[in-house]
Amino acid sequence: MSRESQTVLSGKPVEPALPGKLPENLRAELIAFRRDLHMHPELGHQEFRTTAAIKARLEKAGLRPRVLETGTGLICDIGSWDGQRPMLGFRADIDALPIPDAKVGVPYRSTVPDRAHACGHDVHTTVVLGTGLVLAALHRQGLLPRPVRLLFQPAEEVLPGGASDAIESGVLDGVGQMIAVHCDPRVDAGRIGLRPGPITSACDRLEITLEGAGGHTARPHLTTDMVTAAARVAVDVPALLARRVDTRAGLAVTWGKIASGHACNVIPMTAELSGTVRCLDLNAWHEAPDLIHAAIDEVAGMHRAKTEINYVRGVPPVVNDPVVTELLRDAMAARCGAHSVEDTEQSLGGEDFSWYLEHVPGAMARLGVRTPGDPVKRDLHRGDFDVDESAITTGVELFTAAALLDGRRARANG
């Protein structure tokens, strides 16, 4: 059955054929570009080489990128904004993670100790770069119906995320919608996952210091038994919250670090705990700091421990706009067929793309990066993370189709 027949049966109007397929020579160049980024990962606010590489390639294409005020990251417009119809924005995050690259047998393994692109930001960056190059060529031919903005954002992995700084610098001026992709190793390359509404979780950082009188382990009744107090906070605070918040809100405190004491027969005077707070529901996220402060004080007080709490706000959930989500669904169907889109679940991972959607409607798609049939289960934020590089083509063609469909529909609606 032809795509046109499928479209008629689905009840949607048939879209004219879309230009903007990725040329083979550019496909090979983008893979090489991604591998270069992968070999030279840079942490948040330190992405100087990455920024320079993106800027140089855009300028080679005759574009005029502008580095952000923070010194890393950049924006680049294709076409001139007329002050009336807002632009469609494409966002990529460009920073890496502070973990070693554990891959073996690949020539593009990280050359920087304890640094790796283990979350796919090198792919996101390459997808938006490739999108810009293809759309710039279409613009020169008079085939781009609406101007677009490319945004290469630094420091996504640094709470509360580089998006806040980018927004303050004016990256959304003239932008009416934002879209992005995030690599998903659970989805096959050549496919994307979509979900209207919340698709990620809120994520905050929690740091606690407990203090009290230490002493000899022979006389714990004369002390604040700090190790026991820390253990009770670690166990009882999450359990207490589970009875004070609707379980459907998905509020979860998970510890990553507990430290206390130096000797087996000495009760220490301090203990430290740190972890993350994740929440699926936006309203519950707004209430979380007060609830968590109260629960920590209550449990610690039972053990006569004083508390010092540092609650660092991170990011709210990414809430996909239904209209923009449907644009991505239609764009992917136009390129690869409706079968290439699957529904995805809400993730407990955090993403600072959410800050843009506090200002303009937008959507994030899950970009499949698993080689079909690969039995190895990979995950994000692990040193052995890698991708099927055909996902770059999928991402570019998804974005170019979205830009063309969005422009056509904007013109049709006046």
Side-chain angles (χ1 to χ4, degrees):
M1 182 182 295
S2 69
R3 184 174 67 84
E4 289 76 10
S5 299
Q6 290 175 332
T7 305
V8 170
L9 290 174
S10 70
K12 291 185 177 181
V14 177
E15 294 281 0
L18 292 172
K21 297 285 284 185
L22 188 61
E24 187 59 41
N25 62 327
L26 184 53
R27 189 191 316 257
E29 180 190 348
L30 291 177
I31 289 175
F33 189 90
R34 177 258 169 176
R35 293 185 176 190
D36 179 72
L37 294 185
H38 201 87
M39 293 172 65
H40 302 93
E42 297 174 302
L43 300 185
H45 300 303
Q46 301 173 22
E47 313 96 331
F48 296 103
R49 183 187 185 278
T50 303
T51 298
I54 300 166
K55 183 173 182 288
R57 184 61 185 91
L58 292 172
E59 289 177 337
K60 183 179 177 182
L63 299 171
R64 297 182 177 179
R66 306 188 301 277
V67 176
L68 300 182
E69 295 175 0
T70 52
T72 61
L74 61 158
I75 61 173
C76 182
D77 293 349
I78 303 172
S80 299
W81 180 44
D82 58 12
Q84 297 178 351
R85 294 179 303 162
M87 292 181 285
L88 176 64
F90 298 93
R91 176 269 201 171
D93 37 12
I94 66 174
D95 57 325
L97 286 163
I99 62 175
D101 191 335
K103 292 189 295 299
V104 295
V106 296
Y108 49 85
R109 189 169 182 266
S110 173
T111 61
V112 184
D114 300 320
R115 302 286 186 269
H117 269 295
C119 197
H121 293 191
D122 53 335
V123 174
H124 307 165
T125 299
T126 305
V127 165
V128 174
L129 174 66
T131 299
L133 298 177
V134 173
L135 292 180
L138 293 177
H139 178 60
R140 289 191 294 271
Q141 301 170 46
L143 298 177
L144 182 63
R146 188 179 185 182
V148 301
R149 172 166 293 166
L150 315 178
L151 167 58
F152 299 89
Q153 178 215 301
E156 189 276 331
E157 298 286 355
V158 182
L159 287 179
S164 298
D165 291 335
I167 292 168
E168 288 181 9
S169 70
V171 300
L172 290 179
D173 293 348
V175 173
Q177 296 173 320
M178 289 288 291
I179 61 176
V181 292
H182 197 294
C183 290
D184 191 336
R186 302 166 302 171
V187 178
D188 282 351
R191 299 173 62 84
I192 64 169
L194 288 174
R195 174 189 173 91
I199 191 171
T200 69
S201 165
C203 181
D204 300 332
R205 188 171 75 243
L206 179 62
E207 299 169 340
I208 306 169
T209 299
L210 303 178
E211 296 181 346
H216 202 295
T217 55
R219 291 174 288 279
H221 59 291
L222 301 179
T223 73
T224 298
D225 189 349
M226 194 56 62
V227 173
T228 297
R232 295 318 313 178
V233 167
V235 173
D236 292 346
V237 166
L240 198 58
L241 291 169
R243 292 298 177 266
R244 294 185 178 177
V245 179
D246 189 329
T247 55
R248 290 171 296 183
L251 179 63
V253 175
T254 306
W255 307 107
K257 175 186 175 183
I258 301 179
S260 186
H262 299 284
C264 66
N265 61 346
V266 178
I267 293 176
M269 297 175 64
T270 63
E272 296 180 347
L273 301 89
S274 62
T276 60
V277 180
R278 299 182 187 273
C279 189
L280 299 175
D281 180 75
L282 186 60
N283 291 328
W285 178 69
H286 287 301
E287 298 172 357
D290 290 341
L291 290 169
I292 291 171
H293 271 76
I296 293 169
D297 287 340
E298 184 175 332
V299 174
M302 294 173 59
H303 297 273
R304 297 178 295 181
K306 297 178 181 179
T307 62
E308 181 179 327
I309 303 169
N310 182 28
Y311 193 108
V312 182
R313 268 305 198 190
V315 295
V318 172
V319 182
N320 281 349
D321 177 79
V323 173
V324 184
T325 303
E326 194 65 15
L327 171 65
L328 289 173
R329 185 180 299 275
D330 291 345
M332 189 65 181
R335 289 297 193 206
C336 303
H339 67 278
S340 62
V341 182
E342 62 185 61
D343 294 332
T344 191
E345 62 187 9
Q346 185 178 4
S347 164
L348 277 169
E351 234 291 350
D352 75 354
F353 183 68
S354 55
W355 290 122
Y356 301 106
L357 306 193
E358 295 276 297
H359 299 269
V360 298
M364 170 175 280
R366 304 282 186 195
L367 179 66
V369 296
R370 178 179 63 194
T371 300
D374 186 357
V376 179
K377 292 185 177 181
R378 308 182 193 277
D379 200 3
L380 304 171
H381 288 220
R382 283 182 22 174
D384 63 349
F385 175 75
D386 205 354
V387 304
D388 184 321
E389 290 172 317
S390 68
I392 295 170
T393 299
T394 302
V396 171
E397 295 188 349
L398 167 68
F399 278 178
T400 55
L404 295 171
L405 287 179
D406 176 66
R408 286 179 179 178
R409 293 172 183 180
R411 281 186 174 179
N413 293 330

